[in-house]
Amino acid sequence: MYPFNFNSQQSSTLPKVSSETNVTKSLCDRQLEQFISNLLKYGVLLASALVLIGGILYLIRHGTEPADYRFFQGTPSELCSLRGVVTAVLSGSSRGIIQLGLLILIATPIARVAFSFLAFLQQRDFAYILVTLCVLAALIYSLIGAYA
Amino acid sequence: MNILEFSLFVWVGSFTAGFLGSLTGLGGGVVIVPLLTSVFGVDIRYAVGASLVSVIATSAGAASTYIKQGLTNLRLGMFLEVATTLGAIVGALIATFVSVKALTLVLAIVLLYSAYLSQQTRPERPNLDSSDSLVTYLRLNSSYPTPDGLMSYQVHSVPVGFSVMLIAGVLSGLLGIGSGAFKVLAMDQAMRLPFKVSTTTSNFMIGVTAAASAGVYLARGYIDPGLSMPVMLGVLPGAFLGARVLLGAKTQVLRTIFSVVLVVMAFKMVYNSLTGGL
């Protein structure tokens, strides 16, 4: 049914076919997979923990105030930049803590691209050095461009 | 409604959206925006910001598991991210000067299309031999684990897939959704990947695509902590529960329910925007 079906009976043909079509994952690729998997997991866990802590404080302090998102005013500008968020966290603002969690969350996939770039650099895999560099440049452009 | 009640209701709604989105493979984001705007009366810009955040969270969380299982094609994902990130930046820029009415209309169309797509059974195409030099150069062909052992597959029509990914990226930046439906379209139909590979690779890319528009949203004040908090904390566990239940569930019934929800929301959004109130 499938041209290449590597089950246990056919495993003797595996090395030959894979060297022709490049289908097996190299050790480097497996290591990169492991690393990225862990990076994403701990990034999300850290971000969620901060959002949860900030959220509980926020509900305790502001839970009885009226909720109004009907009209767009924009999030206060001090919560829209990294420096502002850090200042807000240091002054104990619950919304600041949530926002810090959200910033870490946004940074997680960006860090994933950055580390992949470094891994490909180490492997001297030029096609993917270029690919990850393009993505990284676009991400950085969008972050910097937004505040310019 | 005070903040405590509001957060609680939004949490329950987001949990449900995450659960259904994960079961149907379309992602929670496509439901979060209409849920917040038409049920809770939230301005679409706040809704889009909160949805975007929840999309990054579920993508990263689920991708972590799928990568470990060896299902995700990292090289293909990273290559196609070039298209989706560029698209997302364009989309997020368009979003800042397009009217709320137009945004609503585009979202309604995407909802209807997603509903249609979730009703389609996707036939697994035979994976024919391809000798595309681009595919070989980028080493996109790979293998994935199945119950019968490791199965190899080949990637087809990279240029078509790449173009559809550009569109998916624009929609993602415009609407704060993962646009999983379009990504799966590109990878299933055009590039002829096995389901599990296309779904998990699409999921892997969504985080980066969303991060590309997050900067613009953050700077314009679309990402509000008070609203994003219950949305993110709801969608994330909902999506994980959905992924667990998926193994034993009758997905056809759920797909139908999900489609009906999408269609109703699409019409309600169009009705609201035509009558003036949102």
Side-chain angles (χ1 to χ4, degrees), chain B residues 55-56 59 172 178-180 183 201-211:
Chain B
V55 161
I56 299 180
S59 159
S172 171
S179 52
K183 290 201 174 72
T201 305
S202 146
N203 176 77
F204 169 73
M205 296 164 54
I206 283 171
V208 164
T209 313

Side-chain angles (χ1 to χ4, degrees), chain B residues 16 19-26 115 118-119 241-243 245-262:
Chain B
T16 316
F19 181 71
L20 285 176
S22 154
L23 273 181
T24 50
L26 292 176
S118 74
Q119 280 303 301
L241 190 67
V245 173
L246 187 59
L247 303 165
K250 286 203 166 64
T251 45
Q252 191 48 49
V253 181
L254 284 163
R255 274 172 186 276
T256 312
I257 297 171
F258 195 68
S259 308
V260 171
V261 171
L262 289 180

Side-chain angles (χ1 to χ4, degrees), chain A residues 1-8 14 17 20-26 29-30 32-34 36-38 40-42 44 47-49 51-52 54-56 58-60 62-76 79-82 94-96 98-99 101-103 105-110 112-113 116 120 123 125-128 130-132 134-135 137-139 141-143 145-147, chain B residues 1-7 40-43 45-46 53-54 56-57 59-61 63-65 67-72 74-82 85-86 89 93 124-129 136-146 148-154 204-209 211-230 232-233 236 278:
Chain A
M1 183 163 74
Y2 292 94
F4 304 108
N5 185 352
F6 302 141
N7 55 31
S8 49
L14 183 74
V17 175
E20 281 169 8
T21 55
N22 258 327
V23 289
T24 48
K25 290 168 182 165
S26 68
D29 280 13
R30 286 304 305 177
L32 181 62
E33 285 186 351
Q34 283 295 323
I36 287 178
S37 172
N38 288 330
L40 293 177
K41 184 165 80 184
Y42 293 116
V44 172
S48 310
V51 172
L52 185 66
I56 291 169
Y58 173 65
L59 290 181
I60 291 171
H62 304 279
T64 52
E65 294 165 18
D68 194 12
Y69 293 102
R70 202 166 290 272
F71 302 105
F72 183 76
Q73 294 141 344
T75 305
L79 289 178
C80 292
S81 69
L82 181 61
S94 56
R95 283 164 63 88
I98 299 176
Q99 204 74 338
L102 299 180
L103 286 183
L105 186 68
I106 294 168
T108 301
I110 300 174
R112 189 263 280 169
V113 178
S116 311
F120 290 125
Q123 292 180 32
D125 188 335
F126 291 109
Y128 281 90
L130 199 66
V131 162
T132 45
C134 272
V135 176
L139 289 171
Y141 166 81
S142 89
L143 283 177
Y147 292 98
Chain B
M1 198 159 32
N2 70 32
I3 288 182
L4 189 63
E5 292 164 344
F6 179 81
S7 302
F40 293 101
V42 173
D43 184 283
R45 284 161 286 190
Y46 283 134
V53 164
S54 74
I56 299 180
S59 159
S64 168
T65 313
I67 293 170
K68 207 158 264 174
Q69 292 170 348
L71 289 169
T72 314
L74 287 195
R75 285 178 188 271
L76 180 64
M78 288 179 188
F79 174 64
L80 292 177
E81 274 164 9
V82 175
T85 43
L86 290 178
I89 291 172
L93 290 176
E124 187 102 48
R125 305 247 191 116
N127 202 327
L128 303 169
D129 221 341
T136 318
Y137 178 64
L138 291 171
R139 291 197 271 156
L140 297 178
N141 293 334
S142 185
S143 54
Y144 74 111
T146 68
D148 311 322
L150 215 54
M151 182 98 76
S152 81
Y153 57 87
Q154 308 217 335
F204 169 73
M205 296 164 54
I206 283 171
V208 164
T209 313
S213 34
V216 179
Y217 284 8
L218 200 65
R220 314 250 163 171
Y222 287 17
I223 298 179
D224 185 272
L227 180 66
S228 305
M229 181 266 295
M232 176 194 161
L233 294 180
L236 199 56
L278 239 181

Side-chain angles (χ1 to χ4, degrees), chain B residues 97-180:
Chain B
F97 61 80
V98 141
S99 75
V100 169
K101 213 167 253 189
L103 273 184
T104 311
L105 208 62
V106 175
L107 181 60
I109 294 167
V110 172
L111 281 179
L112 288 176
Y113 178 70
S114 300
Y116 165 76
L117 215 69
S118 74
Q119 280 303 301
Q120 298 289 303
T121 47
R122 304 186 242 143
E124 187 102 48
R125 305 247 191 116
N127 202 327
L128 303 169
D129 221 341
S130 83
S131 49
D132 193 327
S133 59
L134 186 64
V135 170
T136 318
Y137 178 64
L138 291 171
R139 291 197 271 156
L140 297 178
N141 293 334
S142 185
S143 54
Y144 74 111
T146 68
D148 311 322
L150 215 54
M151 182 98 76
S152 81
Y153 57 87
Q154 308 217 335
V155 179
H156 299 258
S157 350
V158 173
V160 179
F162 196 85
S163 316
V164 179
M165 286 298 166
L166 268 175
I167 301 170
V170 171
L171 287 174
S172 171
L174 198 57
L175 302 170
I177 60 175
S179 52

